[in-house]
Amino acid sequence: MGASTSTTIIEIICIDKSILVLRDGGANMVKGMRLAELPDLSCTAHTLQLIINEGLSSQRAVLDIIAILKSCATHFGHSVLAKQRLRTIQEELGVQKHNIIQAIPTHWNSTLHMLQRMYEQRRALNVYAGEHGHISCLSATQWDIVCNLTDTLVPIEDVTMEMSNSGSSAACIIPRVSVLKLMLQEEGPSSGGIKTLCKTMLDSLTKRFSKTEETKIIGLATFLDPRYKACACLCV
């Protein structure tokens, strides 16, 4: 994307004045905004997606568990008979009659939702695996990792959703990033590499948002937002 191309696009859609262009973190988008000399800001939700995926990818045990559960979800997603048999097992065991959730690569929290649903259905899945053998079953240690991992990710999802709702703005970035840092610094479970996973996410968060408080438009937005007037901020 060159400067002339960007200018032409802006003229075509009749934008008289560009205040800020929200973009993802792709190198081509960054370069395009520089060439077009347009004020820009990286999408915080996209950046958080990268940070959390880095954390999940840092631990082989976690990656193995996610791969097994994705394969399991694919099995039930492709077979009506498998779904029907699982529903029967759910009824027999008295567990919630919920469908299995598949993770979507572009939405990190879909992995969290898959883990939560699989943990809820672990008894039914164990019975199904024992009867049919079409899916791999997690060990007791791996289920413990799933439990610890979901407990770690749920508060992070809450912050992510707060930053992604319709009432969010650039003013939310500094306060929410500060909250995430505090969460990731808390002492959590050390089993299954969860502590290392949190440190990986914290390091990535610190690196990717290192210049946030120095960004004038973000600092100004936070300063002017009445929701944060009582909060202690580093920006001035």
Side-chain angles (χ1 to χ4, degrees), residues 1-7 9 28-29 31-36 38:
M1 180 189 292
S4 59
T5 304
S6 301
T7 304
I9 293 174
N28 60 328
M29 295 301 297
K31 184 176 180 180
M33 294 303 100
R34 297 295 178 269
L35 291 174
L38 293 171

Side-chain angles (χ1 to χ4, degrees), residues 55-68 142 145 192-193 196-197:
L56 295 175
S57 300
S58 68
Q59 293 301 306
R60 171 52 59 184
V62 171
L63 283 178
D64 290 343
I65 289 170
I66 291 175
I68 292 171
Q142 287 175 315
I145 293 175
T196 303
L197 182 146

Side-chain angles (χ1 to χ4, degrees), residues 34-160:
R34 297 295 178 269
L35 291 174
E37 298 181 348
L38 293 171
D40 63 304
L41 184 65
S42 179
C43 176
T44 302
H46 176 76
T47 304
L48 287 176
Q49 170 90 9
L50 298 176
I51 290 169
I52 295 164
N53 283 340
E54 282 183 27
L56 295 175
S57 300
S58 68
Q59 293 301 306
R60 171 52 59 184
V62 171
L63 283 178
D64 290 343
I65 289 170
I66 291 175
I68 292 171
L69 296 183
K70 279 184 176 180
S71 177
C72 178
T74 299
H75 172 72
F76 290 106
H78 289 174
S79 174
V80 175
L81 291 177
K83 287 181 181 178
Q84 291 174 344
R85 179 54 190 150
L86 181 64
R87 183 56 54 91
T88 301
I89 294 172
Q90 290 170 333
E91 292 174 349
E92 293 172 350
L93 295 177
V95 300
Q96 295 289 335
K97 292 184 284 187
H98 292 155
N99 292 327
I100 298 301
I101 296 175
Q102 177 62 283
I104 303 171
T106 54
H107 295 80
W108 80 262
N109 57 342
S110 67
T111 298
L112 168 61
H113 299 160
M114 180 186 72
L115 293 171
Q116 289 174 312
R117 182 57 51 83
M118 293 293 190
Y119 190 78
E120 175 196 80
Q121 297 295 323
R122 63 192 183 282
R123 291 172 57 212
L125 293 172
N126 286 339
V127 172
Y128 182 94
E131 289 183 353
H132 302 281
H134 295 304
I135 62 173
S136 297
C137 200
L138 298 183
S139 66
T141 300
Q142 287 175 315
W143 281 124
D144 286 341
I145 293 175
V146 171
C147 181
N148 290 332
L149 184 57
T150 55
D151 287 345
T152 300
L153 293 178
V154 165
I156 298 175
E157 184 194 27
D158 292 340
V159 175
T160 302

